[in-house]
Amino acid sequence: QLNARSNKVAHRLIELGAGPETLVALFLEPSLELVAAILGVLKAGAAYLPLDPEHPRERLDFVLADAGASLIVAEQRLLERLGDVDVTAVCLDGEAAQLEALSAANPAAAVVPENLAYVIYTSGSTGRPKGVQVEHRQVARLFSATEEWFGFGPQDVWVLLHSYAFDFSVWELWGALAHGGQLVVSPVWTTRSPQALAALVATRGVTVLNATPSLFVAVQDELLRRASELALRFVVFGGEALRPPALRPWFEHFGDEGPTLVNMYGITETTVHVTYRPLRAA
């Protein structure tokens, strides 16, 4: 069903001129539709440009203008927030009937490893945000280089917890889908409630949890309260510096026999992760 849905999006984008090295903006809330839209863009041969609805209007306008995307896939109510934008829009809710009528067959897109997969903008903390262009081969290498450490597979359950405009989401999305695993798409509010996030991890049988250290420390006590319910194999840190002493409660409970905590770090320009360090109590 996901494949069929994403193929319909792809065929619509191809009709509108999408193909290798074209950029398609996405302006969607975390949802099944978001995953189908990302797949649809890539199946059309194009690259996706994520626009986070949580970001201020000024940043959204800047990213859209700076990147020069020719197409945007959005929800109608979100599109109205952008005002007048000089791009062709595909509204997933407004065009539902037209999309449903399109072919569900896999499109033939002539993509090579050197083609663009996505463009994610940096935070701009050191000046203006910069659009980082990442190719298919770089994402593929991210997982081939880490395969022997993790052994991800169909048994794994991941959570799309981070904004898809933050490159940690690339690891979450493709870590699940590229290995045949299950992807749980988390609503935005879940990350703001330690109780809700711990409940999601426990009840959905999450095996791979990816978190910034600050988010994990905020939810750590709630996870430990539900320790007997957890199916975690790995907790992967990224996005910011980790203070190991903050993990003392975790190691006091699990020791070195529990889920493996892995400290990873990278920047958008280097495709998500560069460092790898499994952590032990010592």
Side-chain angles (χ1 to χ4, degrees), residues 169-224:
S169 67
V170 173
W171 172 257
E172 294 173 317
L173 179 72
W174 300 110
L177 299 185
H179 298 95
Q182 181 187 142
L183 180 66
V184 178
V185 181
S186 166
V188 173
W189 57 264
T190 306
T191 59
R192 297 169 186 159
S193 166
Q195 294 85 357
L197 180 51
L200 182 147
V201 171
T203 59
R204 297 305 296 265
V206 173
T207 63
V208 184
L209 177 64
N210 303 279
T212 58
S214 56
L215 176 61
F216 183 79
V217 169
V219 78
Q220 180 174 222
D221 287 348
E222 291 297 327
L223 288 172
L224 289 174

Side-chain angles (χ1 to χ4, degrees), residues 118 134-150 152 158 167-175 178-179 210 236 264-268 270-276:
Y118 63 82
V134 176
E135 301 167 1
H136 285 266
R137 60 180 173 170
Q138 290 152 0
V139 180
R141 186 192 175 279
L142 170 66
F143 290 104
S144 63
T146 56
E147 184 176 11
E148 64 180 278
W149 298 330
F150 294 102
F152 297 137
W158 298 63
D167 73 332
F168 213 167
S169 67
V170 173
W171 172 257
E172 294 173 317
L173 179 72
W174 300 110
H179 298 95
N210 303 279
V236 178
M264 300 187 79
Y265 187 75
I267 56 176
T268 312
T270 54
T271 318
V272 191
H273 294 309
V274 173
T275 67
Y276 167 83

Side-chain angles (χ1 to χ4, degrees), residues 6-65:
S6 57
N7 285 343
K8 290 173 186 287
V9 174
H11 285 297
R12 179 64 179 135
L13 293 172
I14 291 168
E15 286 178 354
L16 295 171
E21 300 305 305
T22 60
L23 204 51
V24 179
L26 297 178
F27 195 30
L28 300 161
E29 300 278 4
S31 63
L32 175 63
E33 290 290 355
L34 170 62
V35 179
I38 291 174
L39 286 166
V41 171
L42 296 173
K43 282 170 169 284
Y48 72 93
L49 172 74
L51 300 175
D52 187 338
E54 297 282 303
H55 286 168
R57 169 75 181 271
E58 296 73 23
R59 179 181 169 92
L60 297 173
D61 288 346
F62 169 77
V63 168
L64 207 48

Side-chain angles (χ1 to χ4, degrees), residues 220-242:
Q220 180 174 222
D221 287 348
E222 291 297 327
L223 288 172
L224 289 174
R225 283 193 187 96
R226 308 187 71 141
S228 63
E229 304 169 55
L230 299 179
L232 286 171
R233 296 203 305 125
F234 293 103
V235 177
V236 178
F237 299 116
E240 63 192 37
L242 171 71

Side-chain angles (χ1 to χ4, degrees), residues 1 8 17 29 36 44 49 75-77 81 93 104 107 121 135 146 155 176 178 192 203 242-243 250 259 263:
Q1 289 173 323
K8 290 173 186 287
E29 300 278 4
L49 172 74
E75 297 169 34
Q76 184 67 51
R77 64 180 181 81
R81 279 181 45 197
D93 42 1
Y121 273 71
E135 301 167 1
T146 56
Q155 78 281 4
R192 297 169 186 159
T203 59
L242 171 71
R243 293 189 311 104
W250 186 269
N263 191 22

